[in-house]
Every structure is written in structure tokens, then in C-alpha cells.
Amino acid sequence: MSTASFSPSTLSLSSSLFSSCKRISPSFSFSVPKPHIFRPQFRRLKNLRLVMSAVSDPLEICVKDSVTTPGRLGDCPFTQRVLLTLEEKHLPYDVKLIDLANKPEWFLKISPQGKVPLIKLDEKWIADSDVITQALEEKYPDPPLAVPPEKASVGSKIFPAFVSFLKSKDPNDGTEQVLLTELTSFNDHIRENGPFINGKEISSADLSLGPKLHHLEIALGHYKKWSVPESLPYVRSYMKSIFSLDSFTKTRAQPEDVIAGWGPKVMG
């Protein structure tokens, strides 16, 4: 089993769009059996992890392994949503990197469908980011991330619109306009209610939408040379704010993984 140990301050994944792979920060601590080889500096914060564990036993979470650089966090926006929740709630956690192309037997025993993210809460393995984040909110209510029901679905149609446009091979099929319509609606909401979906404080709705917008920016920029237009300044400002959060930079996928992850859907 390949595992990686994380605490809310130890995962640091930095990237610039379409740049070459950056080295993971020395504050990232791995513990895996051979034959994997990691640089010695990855062990420097081992004692820090033990201090965090004394406060609360780390939560075990299974996540997608990188398809471009094994041993690194992969490109799942739903997994990042859960990791963001853990980070914003300051909960220590242990990450288990799963090669989804070659799932280990121990993983299939706890997740017969072979899906991530998967987290262990109260000795039970829980799947689905919606279920996981709700369970975390109930078990660890401070700081609160819940959003009022009337705002819970704000921006929720952006991701499916993005996927349709990304996969489209017909420039006149209207999928780009559908995406622009959804982004315009979101732009209006942030202008009137921002800077975040629920106002001044970040909420679970932002932690769900942020990773999807990250994928939108990278995938559409790479495959369609498309970006959010300047006519939607509040969307662009919102993305900049979310992407610059410490919790986001620690848990985001590298651009090359996002590109590789969407490749089969675009080419297929």
C-alpha cells in the first residue's frame, strides 16, 4: 500500500499554468515502501505531523494518484473539494494515493466501485464528495462552512456546461453560449453578493466550485485556447481569490495532470 501523510499545513503543491512540473515543497512528508524513492527533505516535518496527530488522529482519505508523476496528488476536483474542507476546518489527515488504472486489492475491498474520494469516519468508509463534506460539517461544525439552501446551487450548472463545451467538436452547437450564460449568471451573483458565494466568508459552495473552475481554466485554455472573457470581471476576480487561498494551493492538481485527465474525454 502506498500512503502519504498530510496535515493541514504540510501539503504544498505549486504550479503555474502549462509550466513544467515543479518540485513538491520540502514541507510535504511521504512514507512509502520501496521501490519508490523520495528525496530526503520530504521527511523534515515528520515531528510536526506527530504534534498535529496528538490534537486529533488524522482522518484517512483515499485519493487519485497522479497519472503523470506517480506519488503525487491527482486531478480529481471532487477529491480536492474534500481536501479543501479538511484544510479549512484545520483537520489533520493521512492521504492514500490510489492508482485508478491499477487499483490495489485492499482498496477494492473497502470501495467495491473503486471510486475516490473515500474517507474513514467513525470506523466507516464513506464515498461521494457530497456525502463526505456533509458528514464533516456535522461532525466538525467549527469553523462552519454550511451555506443557506437558497445559495447552495449557485454556480452548480457551470461544470456540466464546461464539460459539454470542452467535449464539443462543433463550434456552432451552442455549448459555448450555454457556458457563457452560466458564467454571466454567476458573475451577477458575485457582483451583488460577493466576494464569495455566501458573502464575505468562504463556504462549502466555494470549496465545491473552486476546483471545477480550476479545471475549466486549464482544460479550456489548453484544448480550446479559451478563457473567461474580460466582460465577466467578477468571475475572474472570484477565481483569482479562490485559487490564491493557502488551502487551495496546497491541494490543487498540477496543470499537466488536469490536461492528461481530460484528454480521453476530449479526444474520444
Side-chain angles (χ1 to χ4, degrees):
M1 177 193 318
S2 177
T3 66
S5 299
F6 297 71
S7 69
S9 63
T10 59
L11 176 56
S12 178
L13 300 173
S14 61
S15 64
S16 58
L17 194 56
F18 312 124
S19 67
S20 60
C21 175
K22 303 288 186 180
R23 189 198 314 178
I24 300 176
S25 165
S27 62
F28 187 43
S29 170
F30 275 97
S31 177
V32 304
K34 294 182 178 180
H36 298 291
I37 299 175
F38 296 94
R39 298 179 181 86
Q41 59 264 38
F42 288 175
R43 300 189 181 93
R44 289 179 182 173
L45 291 186
K46 183 176 181 181
N47 291 336
L48 176 60
R49 177 189 174 279
L50 293 177
V51 171
M52 292 300 299
S53 299
V55 177
S56 175
D57 290 337
L59 299 171
E60 296 179 70
I61 179 170
C62 297
V63 306
K64 181 181 180 180
D65 195 7
S66 167
V67 297
T68 65
T69 309
R72 186 176 69 184
L73 183 64
D75 63 296
C76 175
F78 306 101
T79 292
Q80 190 185 12
R81 174 191 181 186
V82 175
L83 294 177
L84 281 169
T85 302
L86 293 170
E87 288 283 344
E88 290 295 328
K89 287 186 174 293
H90 313 294
L91 297 170
Y93 53 95
D94 284 345
V95 164
K96 292 175 170 54
L97 300 170
I98 308 300
D99 179 357
L100 296 184
N102 186 27
K103 303 179 185 71
E105 291 185 9
W106 68 264
F107 173 66
L108 291 174
K109 288 181 180 179
I110 61 175
S111 177
Q113 294 182 329
K115 294 183 178 181
V116 293
L118 189 73
I119 196 168
K120 192 175 185 180
L121 286 176
D122 298 324
E123 301 306 313
K124 295 181 180 179
W125 287 99
I126 302 175
D128 190 292
S129 62
D130 286 336
V131 178
I132 292 172
T133 52
Q134 180 61 38
L136 289 172
E137 186 66 29
E138 293 174 358
K139 187 174 178 62
Y140 306 100
D142 186 42
L145 295 174
V147 64
E150 65 271 17
K151 294 182 179 180
S153 63
V154 171
S156 62
K157 295 181 180 179
I158 292 175
F159 189 66
F162 144 63
V163 175
S164 295
F165 177 43
L166 179 66
K167 295 168 64 176
S168 171
K169 294 178 173 58
D170 180 359
N172 300 311
D173 64 2
T175 54
E176 179 181 10
Q177 185 55 52
V178 171
L179 175 59
L180 285 171
T181 298
E182 295 302 330
L183 288 172
T184 299
S185 176
F186 185 70
N187 188 80
D188 294 342
H189 176 86
I190 296 300
R191 181 183 63 227
E192 298 170 5
N193 302 276
F196 300 111
I197 290 176
N198 195 35
K200 294 182 180 180
E201 302 297 329
I202 197 165
S203 70
S204 58
D206 302 297
L207 305 186
S208 175
L209 181 59
K212 297 169 183 176
L213 290 175
H214 185 235
H215 278 240
L216 179 154
E217 179 180 72
I218 296 173
L220 288 181
H222 179 79
Y223 289 108
K224 289 186 177 290
K225 310 304 178 187
W226 191 95
S227 62
V228 175
E230 294 184 2
S231 59
L232 301 175
Y234 290 93
V235 176
R236 292 166 66 96
S237 176
Y238 174 85
M239 292 170 66
K240 183 177 180 180
S241 296
I242 292 291
F243 298 170
S244 64
L245 292 171
D246 286 344
S247 59
F248 196 94
T249 60
K250 292 174 183 177
T251 60
R252 67 189 175 188
Q254 296 287 345
E256 54 268 35
D257 278 314
V258 175
I259 292 168
W262 286 104
K265 297 178 178 62
V266 175
M267 303 307 177

